[in-house]
Amino acid sequence: QVCEGEDVVITFSGASTYSWFPPTYLNATAGSTVTITPLDTITYTVTAQNASGCTDEATFFVDLLPAPTIISSAPGSFVCDGDDIAITATGANSYIWSPSASLNSSIGSNVIATPLAATLYTVVGTATNGCKDSSYITISVNPLPILNVTGSNTTCEGQPVSLSVSGANTYIWSPSTGLDTTAGNIVSATPSLTQVYTIVGTDLNQCEGLINYTVSVLQNPNVSIGTSEDSICIGNTAVLAASGASSYTWTASSSLNANTGNIVSAIPTTTTSYSVLGTALNGCASTSFITINVN
């Protein structure tokens, strides 16, 4: 029995010379050893003669067995770095896969491949008659996108910060806390507390990269204004004292003796509202207001 597509070497002994008939599929028609590459089932007659001239005859039957047709397939021809893919083989009774280093199994009709680089996988399938066939499939590996986030990683309470990400084609941000949108490469973030954002970027190969970015929220100063008196007669002076910050800037400076500093003097001619912007050492600021009534 010979599997389709294979050769078989036949050797006869017991005589001096040999003659083969028919010559079909033979590499030679004389000699004790011949190679047969059959394309169908065939019977050969071998005539042998010894040194004395006596002859004998024998027949040799070659049964051609059909070879299986193995087909290997996968949902795609590539994976993203670190991902796996299912590969399936059909057409035989049993299968052996190689190389097996990046496979979850080296046998069976279904295997899971997790290649680290482009890999050519070979599967050898064996039919119930013992004949074999091979199939090949190449799985390529695409790199994951590398993301980069730009923008300030600190902000003051209530102040938005613009963040921009690059390195992929589409982006999803999470959590949505303090964000004006969860999609796109540019977002405005106004978190109330320090927040870690996770950005998943998908490239044109549908591979995903991930990056975490922390926005720290700095506390605003608690600015307040005290006064010597909040109701004065026209022409008199009210002392205004600001506290809670590191530096101060005042408005309505036309009736103030200074527009900076924590203590200023006000000589309003009419009832006037004053505001002070207090800035803390961390750069955050808040405003406080006071009204001086003039009689």
Side-chain angles (χ1 to χ4, degrees):
Q1 290 182 324
V2 184
C3 292
E4 183 181 1
E6 294 183 354
D7 297 334
V8 61
V9 177
I10 307 299
T11 300
F12 273 90
S13 60
S16 299
T17 61
Y18 304 88
S19 177
W20 295 72
F21 184 84
T24 309
Y25 311 135
L26 298 175
N27 71 325
T29 57
S32 60
T33 300
V34 297
T35 299
I36 306 172
T37 309
L39 299 180
D40 53 32
T41 297
I42 189 170
T43 299
Y44 293 100
T45 298
V46 181
T47 302
Q49 180 175 315
N50 61 14
S52 303
C54 298
T55 62
D56 191 15
E57 238 179 37
T59 58
F60 190 82
F61 175 71
V62 176
D63 184 15
L64 184 68
L65 302 178
T69 300
I70 307 302
I71 298 175
S72 56
S73 61
S77 60
F78 71 88
V79 295
C80 299
D81 190 15
D83 288 349
D84 54 41
I85 189 170
I87 306 177
T88 301
T90 58
N93 186 56
S94 62
Y95 306 88
I96 297 178
W97 299 78
S98 64
S100 60
S102 56
L103 298 175
N104 69 327
S105 175
S106 60
I107 60 174
S109 59
N110 297 283
V111 297
I112 303 297
T114 312
L116 300 178
T119 303
L120 173 66
Y121 293 100
T122 301
V123 58
V124 177
T126 304
T128 53
N129 61 10
C131 294
K132 303 177 185 297
D133 185 32
S134 299
S135 181
Y136 308 89
I137 187 169
T138 298
I139 303 297
S140 300
V141 178
N142 289 330
L144 303 182
I146 299 175
L147 306 184
N148 181 56
V149 178
T150 57
S152 178
N153 59 4
T154 60
T155 187
C156 298
E157 292 176 290
Q159 295 300 310
V161 58
S162 180
L163 303 177
S164 175
V165 63
S166 60
N169 189 49
T170 61
Y171 307 90
I172 297 295
W173 299 68
S174 64
S176 60
T177 306
L179 297 178
D180 65 334
T181 180
T182 57
N185 66 313
I186 299 176
V187 300
S188 179
T190 315
S192 57
L193 299 172
T194 294
Q195 180 69 57
V196 178
Y197 292 105
T198 298
I199 307 100
V200 177
T202 305
D203 64 14
L204 294 175
N205 293 319
Q206 300 304 305
C207 294
E208 293 183 347
L210 181 147
I211 191 171
N212 293 320
Y213 195 77
T214 300
V215 176
S216 299
V217 177
L218 305 178
Q219 187 176 6
N220 291 335
N222 184 17
V223 178
S224 62
I225 303 175
T227 181
S228 58
E229 48 188 321
D230 57 9
S231 182
I232 64 172
C233 295
I234 190 168
N236 289 348
T237 299
V239 177
L240 307 181
S243 61
S246 177
S247 63
Y248 305 89
T249 301
W250 297 81
T251 59
S253 59
S254 60
S255 58
L256 295 175
N257 70 327
N259 59 6
T260 60
N262 67 314
I263 299 176
V264 295
S265 295
I267 311 176
T269 57
T270 60
T271 296
T272 303
S273 292
Y274 298 94
S275 68
V276 64
L277 177 68
T279 304
L281 292 175
N282 62 11
C284 295
S286 59
T287 303
S288 184
F289 302 87
I290 193 170
T291 298
I292 301 299
N293 296 306
V294 177
N295 299 316

